[in-house]
Amino acid sequence: MEANEHLSAGATVAELLAWAFQQLSAGESPKTDARLLLAHCLDQSSTYLMTWPDKIVETSIQTQFQQLVMQRKMGHPVAHLIGTRYFWTLSLEVTPDTLIPRPETELLVEQALQLPIGPNAKVLDLGTGTGAIALSLAYEKPTWQVIGVDIVDDAVALAKRNAIANQLPDVKFLQSSWFTHLSAKTFDLIVSNPPYVESDSQYLSQGDVRFEPITALTAGKDGLDDIKIIIEQSLAHLKKGGWLMIEHGYNQATELATLFTQYKYTNIFHKKDLNNQPRITAAQKP
Ligand code: GLN
């Protein structure tokens, strides 16, 4: 394939990386992508790449690497190509069945951990996907009882695999469309990174999101369809004084505050992400 152009068999780590940087130079993060892909093919860390630039790479690995670089060049997310994404302290398996965990969602984890919640809290993660939020909270708070739900069966299976792989077997995952399979269970904390992108957003035609499930991304014209359901239905599933914390779009904070107020929640607050945009809103059931 054209991937072999300008690169002969028996190339070194440094030569392969240089070739890949060039192939991916039109992308957002050519260097990081190239390193992640080569480290994956070699089954080594990025540090290995720095330490052994002159190491000759086996032909079969070189071929695999070149194929992955070409797929990346066509837009496939690195997380799908290597099947893993780091989130919080965890290494999570990722498949095209769910959203790829995002760094901004670590803000939600960080903020949820700051809430005044007791050691025996019951915690629910709505739309858990890979299980990223549920597993991170359980990792930090081993005495919390954490459940994650997702509408997609394959996501539930994936989250269960991630629980086992990260030695967090006590986290429960089950299939449920928001609260449908949670019967009368109540929680001290409900967290969610729901779909919140506007259905006609330009953003959906660029980058990794093109390869992610649209149902995990969009929620109606204003992106608020699912957030409205969550704010309304959480009332029946929160204990008195329980907290609901939601990730949302940078331009949705006012709408969330309005919805929380409409449903009589108290202590509403927002938190900004690293881009200084409001990204999380939380409130308490009175
Ligand atoms: N923050 C996500 C993004 O940037 C959107 C994910 C979501 O809808 N929950 O793609």
Side-chain angles (χ1 to χ4, degrees), residues 151-194:
I151 190 171
V152 178
D153 283 314
D154 288 336
V156 175
L158 173 67
K160 285 181 178 169
R161 290 199 296 279
N162 278 327
I164 300 301
N166 286 281
Q167 278 105 44
L168 295 163
D170 294 336
V171 182
K172 301 273 176 290
F173 291 103
L174 59 100
Q175 192 279 336
S176 179
S177 171
W178 304 135
F179 293 98
T180 51
H181 291 159
L182 288 165
S183 58
K185 284 194 176 61
T186 56
F187 299 90
D188 300 276
L189 169 63
I190 299 176
V191 289
S192 187
N193 172 20

mmCIF file of all heavy atoms in Angstrom, residues 151-194:
data_model
loop_
_atom_site.group_PDB
_atom_site.id
_atom_site.type_symbol
_atom_site.label_atom_id
_atom_site.label_comp_id
_atom_site.label_asym_id
_atom_site.label_seq_id
_atom_site.Cartn_x
_atom_site.Cartn_y
_atom_site.Cartn_z
ATOM 1 N N ILE A 151 -28.417 2.450 28.094
ATOM 2 C CA ILE A 151 -29.494 1.902 27.268
ATOM 3 C C ILE A 151 -28.965 0.817 26.322
ATOM 4 O O ILE A 151 -29.704 -0.067 25.901
ATOM 5 C CB ILE A 151 -30.192 3.047 26.475
ATOM 6 C CG1 ILE A 151 -31.469 2.561 25.808
ATOM 7 C CG2 ILE A 151 -29.251 3.675 25.467
ATOM 8 C CD1 ILE A 151 -32.311 3.677 25.207
ATOM 9 N N VAL A 152 -27.672 0.875 26.026
ATOM 10 C CA VAL A 152 -27.080 -0.019 25.021
ATOM 11 C C VAL A 152 -26.481 -1.262 25.700
ATOM 12 O O VAL A 152 -25.580 -1.145 26.536
ATOM 13 C CB VAL A 152 -25.965 0.733 24.241
ATOM 14 C CG1 VAL A 152 -25.286 -0.174 23.232
ATOM 15 C CG2 VAL A 152 -26.533 1.979 23.574
ATOM 16 N N ASP A 153 -26.987 -2.446 25.331
ATOM 17 C CA ASP A 153 -26.499 -3.695 25.944
ATOM 18 C C ASP A 153 -24.987 -3.857 25.802
ATOM 19 O O ASP A 153 -24.315 -4.277 26.747
ATOM 20 C CB ASP A 153 -27.178 -4.909 25.290
ATOM 21 C CG ASP A 153 -28.597 -5.093 25.800
ATOM 22 O OD1 ASP A 153 -28.805 -5.022 27.026
ATOM 23 O OD2 ASP A 153 -29.504 -5.276 24.960
ATOM 24 N N ASP A 154 -24.465 -3.542 24.615
ATOM 25 C CA ASP A 154 -23.028 -3.724 24.398
ATOM 26 C C ASP A 154 -22.201 -2.782 25.278
ATOM 27 O O ASP A 154 -21.064 -3.098 25.642
ATOM 28 C CB ASP A 154 -22.667 -3.509 22.920
ATOM 29 C CG ASP A 154 -23.151 -4.669 22.058
ATOM 30 O OD1 ASP A 154 -23.333 -5.775 22.600
ATOM 31 O OD2 ASP A 154 -23.373 -4.464 20.853
ATOM 32 N N ALA A 155 -22.768 -1.623 25.596
ATOM 33 C CA ALA A 155 -22.070 -0.702 26.497
ATOM 34 C C ALA A 155 -22.043 -1.297 27.903
ATOM 35 O O ALA A 155 -21.016 -1.233 28.599
ATOM 36 C CB ALA A 155 -22.754 0.662 26.514
ATOM 37 N N VAL A 156 -23.148 -1.893 28.316
ATOM 38 C CA VAL A 156 -23.197 -2.510 29.647
ATOM 39 C C VAL A 156 -22.148 -3.622 29.742
ATOM 40 O O VAL A 156 -21.395 -3.708 30.724
ATOM 41 C CB VAL A 156 -24.619 -3.064 29.939
ATOM 42 C CG1 VAL A 156 -24.651 -3.824 31.257
ATOM 43 C CG2 VAL A 156 -25.629 -1.912 29.943
ATOM 44 N N ALA A 157 -22.058 -4.432 28.685
ATOM 45 C CA ALA A 157 -21.064 -5.521 28.674
ATOM 46 C C ALA A 157 -19.645 -4.947 28.729
ATOM 47 O O ALA A 157 -18.775 -5.468 29.441
ATOM 48 C CB ALA A 157 -21.246 -6.381 27.425
ATOM 49 N N LEU A 158 -19.433 -3.870 27.995
ATOM 50 C CA LEU A 158 -18.116 -3.215 27.979
ATOM 51 C C LEU A 158 -17.768 -2.658 29.362
ATOM 52 O O LEU A 158 -16.646 -2.855 29.860
ATOM 53 C CB LEU A 158 -18.149 -2.076 26.942
ATOM 54 C CG LEU A 158 -16.941 -1.155 26.881
ATOM 55 C CD1 LEU A 158 -15.714 -1.909 26.387
ATOM 56 C CD2 LEU A 158 -17.213 0.039 25.949
ATOM 57 N N ALA A 159 -18.725 -1.963 29.983
ATOM 58 C CA ALA A 159 -18.478 -1.391 31.317
ATOM 59 C C ALA A 159 -18.166 -2.505 32.317
ATOM 60 O O ALA A 159 -17.285 -2.352 33.172
ATOM 61 C CB ALA A 159 -19.689 -0.577 31.763
ATOM 62 N N LYS A 160 -18.855 -3.645 32.190
ATOM 63 C CA LYS A 160 -18.572 -4.771 33.098
ATOM 64 C C LYS A 160 -17.154 -5.286 32.888
ATOM 65 O O LYS A 160 -16.442 -5.585 33.850
ATOM 66 C CB LYS A 160 -19.559 -5.921 32.856
ATOM 67 C CG LYS A 160 -20.953 -5.629 33.417
ATOM 68 C CD LYS A 160 -21.877 -6.821 33.166
ATOM 69 C CE LYS A 160 -23.247 -6.555 33.757
ATOM 70 N NZ LYS A 160 -24.254 -7.546 33.340
ATOM 71 N N ARG A 161 -16.715 -5.362 31.640
ATOM 72 C CA ARG A 161 -15.333 -5.799 31.374
ATOM 73 C C ARG A 161 -14.344 -4.800 31.976
ATOM 74 O O ARG A 161 -13.318 -5.177 32.540
ATOM 75 C CB ARG A 161 -15.069 -5.921 29.863
ATOM 76 C CG ARG A 161 -15.795 -7.075 29.200
ATOM 77 C CD ARG A 161 -15.150 -7.443 27.860
ATOM 78 N NE ARG A 161 -15.204 -6.414 26.837
ATOM 79 C CZ ARG A 161 -16.252 -6.149 26.059
ATOM 80 N NH1 ARG A 161 -17.377 -6.835 26.213
ATOM 81 N NH2 ARG A 161 -16.193 -5.211 25.132
ATOM 82 N N ASN A 162 -14.674 -3.514 31.855
ATOM 83 C CA ASN A 162 -13.777 -2.495 32.404
ATOM 84 C C ASN A 162 -13.706 -2.568 33.926
ATOM 85 O O ASN A 162 -12.659 -2.294 34.522
ATOM 86 C CB ASN A 162 -14.212 -1.104 31.937
ATOM 87 C CG ASN A 162 -13.694 -0.809 30.532
ATOM 88 O OD1 ASN A 162 -12.608 -1.259 30.169
ATOM 89 N ND2 ASN A 162 -14.462 -0.072 29.752
ATOM 90 N N ALA A 163 -14.826 -2.925 34.552
ATOM 91 C CA ALA A 163 -14.831 -3.068 36.017
ATOM 92 C C ALA A 163 -13.876 -4.184 36.421
ATOM 93 O O ALA A 163 -13.055 -4.022 37.336
ATOM 94 C CB ALA A 163 -16.242 -3.371 36.508
ATOM 95 N N ILE A 164 -13.962 -5.306 35.722
ATOM 96 C CA ILE A 164 -13.105 -6.455 36.055
ATOM 97 C C ILE A 164 -11.638 -6.108 35.774
ATOM 98 O O ILE A 164 -10.769 -6.318 36.619
ATOM 99 C CB ILE A 164 -13.529 -7.707 35.235
ATOM 100 C CG1 ILE A 164 -14.983 -8.086 35.549
ATOM 101 C CG2 ILE A 164 -12.579 -8.886 35.461
ATOM 102 C CD1 ILE A 164 -15.265 -8.390 36.999
ATOM 103 N N ALA A 165 -11.390 -5.512 34.598
ATOM 104 C CA ALA A 165 -10.009 -5.220 34.206
ATOM 105 C C ALA A 165 -9.355 -4.227 35.164
ATOM 106 O O ALA A 165 -8.134 -4.234 35.329
ATOM 107 C CB ALA A 165 -9.965 -4.680 32.782
ATOM 108 N N ASN A 166 -10.167 -3.361 35.780
ATOM 109 C CA ASN A 166 -9.609 -2.369 36.699
ATOM 110 C C ASN A 166 -9.775 -2.762 38.171
ATOM 111 O O ASN A 166 -9.675 -1.905 39.056
ATOM 112 C CB ASN A 166 -10.228 -0.993 36.422
ATOM 113 C CG ASN A 166 -9.683 -0.382 35.141
ATOM 114 O OD1 ASN A 166 -8.589 0.159 35.126
ATOM 115 N ND2 ASN A 166 -10.427 -0.517 34.055
ATOM 116 N N GLN A 167 -10.045 -4.031 38.391
ATOM 117 C CA GLN A 167 -10.196 -4.551 39.769
ATOM 118 C C GLN A 167 -11.229 -3.788 40.592
ATOM 119 O O GLN A 167 -11.010 -3.459 41.756
ATOM 120 C CB GLN A 167 -8.851 -4.533 40.516
ATOM 121 C CG GLN A 167 -7.971 -5.713 40.198
ATOM 122 C CD GLN A 167 -6.836 -5.338 39.280
ATOM 123 O OE1 GLN A 167 -6.195 -4.310 39.467
ATOM 124 N NE2 GLN A 167 -6.595 -6.148 38.268
ATOM 125 N N LEU A 168 -12.357 -3.519 39.941
ATOM 126 C CA LEU A 168 -13.458 -2.868 40.652
ATOM 127 C C LEU A 168 -14.731 -3.707 40.464
ATOM 128 O O LEU A 168 -15.743 -3.210 39.959
ATOM 129 C CB LEU A 168 -13.649 -1.436 40.108
ATOM 130 C CG LEU A 168 -12.471 -0.490 40.366
ATOM 131 C CD1 LEU A 168 -12.537 0.734 39.467
ATOM 132 C CD2 LEU A 168 -12.439 -0.075 41.840
ATOM 133 N N PRO A 169 -14.675 -4.974 40.881
ATOM 134 C CA PRO A 169 -15.767 -5.901 40.555
ATOM 135 C C PRO A 169 -17.071 -5.577 41.272
ATOM 136 O O PRO A 169 -18.124 -6.115 40.899
ATOM 137 C CB PRO A 169 -15.219 -7.262 41.009
ATOM 138 C CG PRO A 169 -14.229 -6.926 42.075
ATOM 139 C CD PRO A 169 -13.639 -5.610 41.694
ATOM 140 N N ASP A 170 -17.026 -4.705 42.296
ATOM 141 C CA ASP A 170 -18.260 -4.431 43.037
ATOM 142 C C ASP A 170 -19.160 -3.410 42.353
ATOM 143 O O ASP A 170 -20.310 -3.221 42.750
ATOM 144 C CB ASP A 170 -17.935 -3.941 44.456
ATOM 145 C CG ASP A 170 -17.265 -5.048 45.253
ATOM 146 O OD1 ASP A 170 -17.472 -6.233 44.898
ATOM 147 O OD2 ASP A 170 -16.521 -4.725 46.199
ATOM 148 N N VAL A 171 -18.635 -2.735 41.354
ATOM 149 C CA VAL A 171 -19.482 -1.774 40.640
ATOM 150 C C VAL A 171 -20.458 -2.567 39.763
ATOM 151 O O VAL A 171 -20.058 -3.461 39.025
ATOM 152 C CB VAL A 171 -18.635 -0.811 39.778
ATOM 153 C CG1 VAL A 171 -19.520 0.204 39.074
ATOM 154 C CG2 VAL A 171 -17.596 -0.109 40.634
ATOM 155 N N LYS A 172 -21.754 -2.224 39.888
ATOM 156 C CA LYS A 172 -22.787 -2.964 39.133
ATOM 157 C C LYS A 172 -23.136 -2.184 37.868
ATOM 158 O O LYS A 172 -23.214 -0.948 37.906
ATOM 159 C CB LYS A 172 -24.069 -3.090 39.965
ATOM 160 C CG LYS A 172 -23.881 -3.791 41.288
ATOM 161 C CD LYS A 172 -24.034 -5.297 41.118
ATOM 162 C CE LYS A 172 -23.769 -6.060 42.390
ATOM 163 N NZ LYS A 172 -22.354 -6.055 42.817
ATOM 164 N N PHE A 173 -23.368 -2.902 36.798
ATOM 165 C CA PHE A 173 -23.829 -2.258 35.569
ATOM 166 C C PHE A 173 -25.064 -2.986 35.072
ATOM 167 O O PHE A 173 -25.103 -4.217 35.085
ATOM 168 C CB PHE A 173 -22.734 -2.287 34.501
ATOM 169 C CG PHE A 173 -21.567 -1.400 34.840
ATOM 170 C CD1 PHE A 173 -20.380 -1.927 35.332
ATOM 171 C CD2 PHE A 173 -21.670 -0.015 34.691
ATOM 172 C CE1 PHE A 173 -19.311 -1.106 35.672
ATOM 173 C CE2 PHE A 173 -20.599 0.817 35.029
ATOM 174 C CZ PHE A 173 -19.425 0.268 35.514
ATOM 175 N N LEU A 174 -26.054 -2.217 34.651
ATOM 176 C CA LEU A 174 -27.230 -2.862 34.078
ATOM 177 C C LEU A 174 -27.839 -2.022 32.969
ATOM 178 O O LEU A 174 -27.620 -0.811 32.899
ATOM 179 C CB LEU A 174 -28.264 -3.220 35.151
ATOM 180 C CG LEU A 174 -28.841 -2.133 36.023
ATOM 181 C CD1 LEU A 174 -30.210 -1.731 35.515
ATOM 182 C CD2 LEU A 174 -28.965 -2.671 37.440
ATOM 183 N N GLN A 175 -28.591 -2.732 32.119
ATOM 184 C CA GLN A 175 -29.227 -2.060 30.982
ATOM 185 C C GLN A 175 -30.460 -1.342 31.483
ATOM 186 O O GLN A 175 -31.296 -1.929 32.176
ATOM 187 C CB GLN A 175 -29.583 -3.114 29.915
ATOM 188 C CG GLN A 175 -29.983 -2.542 28.565
ATOM 189 C CD GLN A 175 -31.438 -2.065 28.511
ATOM 190 O OE1 GLN A 175 -32.269 -2.525 29.282
ATOM 191 N NE2 GLN A 175 -31.735 -1.141 27.626
ATOM 192 N N SER A 176 -30.573 -0.066 31.148
ATOM 193 C CA SER A 176 -31.748 0.705 31.540
ATOM 194 C C SER A 176 -31.765 1.986 30.708
ATOM 195 O O SER A 176 -30.727 2.598 30.483
ATOM 196 C CB SER A 176 -31.654 1.042 33.043
ATOM 197 O OG SER A 176 -32.747 1.812 33.458
ATOM 198 N N SER A 177 -32.949 2.354 30.252
ATOM 199 C CA SER A 177 -33.088 3.625 29.552
ATOM 200 C C SER A 177 -33.394 4.670 30.612
ATOM 201 O O SER A 177 -34.517 4.762 31.092
ATOM 202 C CB SER A 177 -34.221 3.507 28.528
ATOM 203 O OG SER A 177 -34.508 4.771 28.001
ATOM 204 N N TRP A 178 -32.375 5.390 31.017
ATOM 205 C CA TRP A 178 -32.414 6.227 32.211
ATOM 206 C C TRP A 178 -32.932 5.390 33.386
ATOM 207 O O TRP A 178 -32.285 4.429 33.741
ATOM 208 C CB TRP A 178 -33.207 7.528 31.987
ATOM 209 C CG TRP A 178 -32.665 8.338 30.818
ATOM 210 C CD1 TRP A 178 -33.390 8.940 29.823
ATOM 211 C CD2 TRP A 178 -31.290 8.652 30.508
ATOM 212 N NE1 TRP A 178 -32.564 9.590 28.930
ATOM 213 C CE2 TRP A 178 -31.268 9.422 29.317
ATOM 214 C CE3 TRP A 178 -30.062 8.346 31.100
ATOM 215 C CZ2 TRP A 178 -30.089 9.888 28.729
ATOM 216 C CZ3 TRP A 178 -28.875 8.811 30.518
ATOM 217 C CH2 TRP A 178 -28.902 9.566 29.358
ATOM 218 N N PHE A 179 -34.124 5.698 33.901
ATOM 219 C CA PHE A 179 -34.520 5.004 35.144
ATOM 220 C C PHE A 179 -35.388 3.769 34.930
ATOM 221 O O PHE A 179 -35.822 3.167 35.907
ATOM 222 C CB PHE A 179 -35.274 5.998 36.046
ATOM 223 C CG PHE A 179 -34.392 7.098 36.558
ATOM 224 C CD1 PHE A 179 -34.373 8.348 35.943
ATOM 225 C CD2 PHE A 179 -33.557 6.895 37.653
ATOM 226 C CE1 PHE A 179 -33.546 9.365 36.407
ATOM 227 C CE2 PHE A 179 -32.734 7.900 38.127
ATOM 228 C CZ PHE A 179 -32.730 9.138 37.504
ATOM 229 N N THR A 180 -35.641 3.376 33.680
ATOM 230 C CA THR A 180 -36.677 2.351 33.452
ATOM 231 C C THR A 180 -36.457 1.055 34.233
ATOM 232 O O THR A 180 -37.421 0.440 34.663
ATOM 233 C CB THR A 180 -36.818 2.001 31.952
ATOM 234 O OG1 THR A 180 -35.513 1.693 31.445
ATOM 235 C CG2 THR A 180 -37.450 3.131 31.152
ATOM 236 N N HIS A 181 -35.209 0.621 34.401
ATOM 237 C CA HIS A 181 -34.982 -0.651 35.096
ATOM 238 C C HIS A 181 -34.417 -0.465 36.500
ATOM 239 O O HIS A 181 -33.779 -1.360 37.058
ATOM 240 C CB HIS A 181 -34.070 -1.559 34.261
ATOM 241 C CG HIS A 181 -34.747 -2.046 33.018
ATOM 242 N ND1 HIS A 181 -34.079 -2.513 31.907
ATOM 243 C CD2 HIS A 181 -36.074 -2.111 32.706
ATOM 244 C CE1 HIS A 181 -34.965 -2.835 30.969
ATOM 245 N NE2 HIS A 181 -36.168 -2.599 31.428
ATOM 246 N N LEU A 182 -34.667 0.701 37.065
ATOM 247 C CA LEU A 182 -34.131 0.950 38.414
ATOM 248 C C LEU A 182 -35.217 0.895 39.484
ATOM 249 O O LEU A 182 -34.958 1.192 40.651
ATOM 250 C CB LEU A 182 -33.413 2.303 38.453
ATOM 251 C CG LEU A 182 -32.083 2.297 37.701
ATOM 252 C CD1 LEU A 182 -31.588 3.707 37.450
ATOM 253 C CD2 LEU A 182 -31.031 1.492 38.476
ATOM 254 N N SER A 183 -36.421 0.522 39.089
ATOM 255 C CA SER A 183 -37.583 0.424 39.991
ATOM 256 C C SER A 183 -37.589 1.557 41.018
ATOM 257 O O SER A 183 -37.469 2.709 40.666
ATOM 258 C CB SER A 183 -37.646 -0.957 40.638
ATOM 259 O OG SER A 183 -36.461 -1.212 41.352
ATOM 260 N N ALA A 184 -37.672 1.212 42.286
ATOM 261 C CA ALA A 184 -37.845 2.276 43.288
ATOM 262 C C ALA A 184 -36.529 2.644 43.960
ATOM 263 O O ALA A 184 -36.521 3.257 45.017
ATOM 264 C CB ALA A 184 -38.867 1.825 44.321
ATOM 265 N N LYS A 185 -35.412 2.281 43.345
ATOM 266 C CA LYS A 185 -34.118 2.560 43.999
ATOM 267 C C LYS A 185 -33.904 4.072 44.176
ATOM 268 O O LYS A 185 -34.227 4.853 43.293
ATOM 269 C CB LYS A 185 -32.969 2.020 43.141
ATOM 270 C CG LYS A 185 -32.802 0.522 43.226
ATOM 271 C CD LYS A 185 -31.432 0.141 42.632
ATOM 272 C CE LYS A 185 -31.143 -1.325 42.760
ATOM 273 N NZ LYS A 185 -32.126 -2.166 42.065
ATOM 274 N N THR A 186 -33.318 4.444 45.317
ATOM 275 C CA THR A 186 -32.974 5.855 45.535
ATOM 276 C C THR A 186 -31.479 5.986 45.842
ATOM 277 O O THR A 186 -30.856 5.053 46.344
ATOM 278 C CB THR A 186 -33.782 6.478 46.697
ATOM 279 O OG1 THR A 186 -33.568 5.694 47.851
ATOM 280 C CG2 THR A 186 -35.257 6.572 46.358
ATOM 281 N N PHE A 187 -30.965 7.174 45.556
ATOM 282 C CA PHE A 187 -29.514 7.385 45.600
ATOM 283 C C PHE A 187 -29.152 8.664 46.363
ATOM 284 O O PHE A 187 -29.947 9.602 46.444
ATOM 285 C CB PHE A 187 -28.972 7.484 44.175
ATOM 286 C CG PHE A 187 -29.220 6.224 43.387
ATOM 287 C CD1 PHE A 187 -30.389 6.070 42.636
ATOM 288 C CD2 PHE A 187 -28.318 5.173 43.427
ATOM 289 C CE1 PHE A 187 -30.637 4.894 41.941
ATOM 290 C CE2 PHE A 187 -28.556 3.995 42.730
ATOM 291 C CZ PHE A 187 -29.725 3.856 41.985
ATOM 292 N N ASP A 188 -27.926 8.693 46.862
ATOM 293 C CA ASP A 188 -27.384 9.902 47.492
ATOM 294 C C ASP A 188 -26.768 10.815 46.444
ATOM 295 O O ASP A 188 -26.626 12.014 46.659
ATOM 296 C CB ASP A 188 -26.292 9.514 48.496
ATOM 297 C CG ASP A 188 -26.824 8.602 49.582
ATOM 298 O OD1 ASP A 188 -27.390 9.124 50.553
ATOM 299 O OD2 ASP A 188 -26.709 7.370 49.419
ATOM 300 N N LEU A 189 -26.379 10.202 45.340
ATOM 301 C CA LEU A 189 -25.733 10.972 44.271
ATOM 302 C C LEU A 189 -26.067 10.341 42.924
ATOM 303 O O LEU A 189 -25.930 9.122 42.767
ATOM 304 C CB LEU A 189 -24.207 10.968 44.474
ATOM 305 C CG LEU A 189 -23.352 11.500 43.320
ATOM 306 C CD1 LEU A 189 -23.634 12.983 43.055
ATOM 307 C CD2 LEU A 189 -21.855 11.298 43.620
ATOM 308 N N ILE A 190 -26.531 11.176 42.002
ATOM 309 C CA ILE A 190 -26.717 10.731 40.618
ATOM 310 C C ILE A 190 -25.811 11.603 39.754
ATOM 311 O O ILE A 190 -25.826 12.828 39.871
ATOM 312 C CB ILE A 190 -28.193 10.862 40.173
ATOM 313 C CG1 ILE A 190 -29.100 9.976 41.051
ATOM 314 C CG2 ILE A 190 -28.343 10.484 38.693
ATOM 315 C CD1 ILE A 190 -30.585 10.097 40.750
ATOM 316 N N VAL A 191 -24.991 10.953 38.926
ATOM 317 C CA VAL A 191 -24.115 11.694 38.018
ATOM 318 C C VAL A 191 -24.435 11.282 36.585
ATOM 319 O O VAL A 191 -24.881 10.156 36.355
ATOM 320 C CB VAL A 191 -22.625 11.402 38.299
ATOM 321 C CG1 VAL A 191 -22.169 12.036 39.596
ATOM 322 C CG2 VAL A 191 -22.344 9.908 38.324
ATOM 323 N N SER A 192 -24.203 12.191 35.653
ATOM 324 C CA SER A 192 -24.431 11.822 34.262
ATOM 325 C C SER A 192 -23.652 12.712 33.306
ATOM 326 O O SER A 192 -23.577 13.920 33.492
ATOM 327 C CB SER A 192 -25.922 11.922 33.922
ATOM 328 O OG SER A 192 -26.141 11.415 32.619
ATOM 329 N N ASN A 193 -23.092 12.059 32.288
ATOM 330 C CA ASN A 193 -22.617 12.772 31.112
ATOM 331 C C ASN A 193 -23.546 12.324 29.980
ATOM 332 O O ASN A 193 -23.232 11.409 29.237
ATOM 333 C CB ASN A 193 -21.163 12.407 30.803
ATOM 334 C CG ASN A 193 -20.713 12.995 29.478
ATOM 335 O OD1 ASN A 193 -21.320 13.957 28.969
ATOM 336 N ND2 ASN A 193 -19.673 12.440 28.890
ATOM 337 N N PRO A 194 -24.713 12.957 29.890
ATOM 338 C CA PRO A 194 -25.715 12.492 28.913
ATOM 339 C C PRO A 194 -25.408 13.062 27.534
ATOM 340 O O PRO A 194 -24.525 13.905 27.396
ATOM 341 C CB PRO A 194 -26.998 13.117 29.465
ATOM 342 C CG PRO A 194 -26.540 14.419 30.056
ATOM 343 C CD PRO A 194 -25.156 14.155 30.603
#
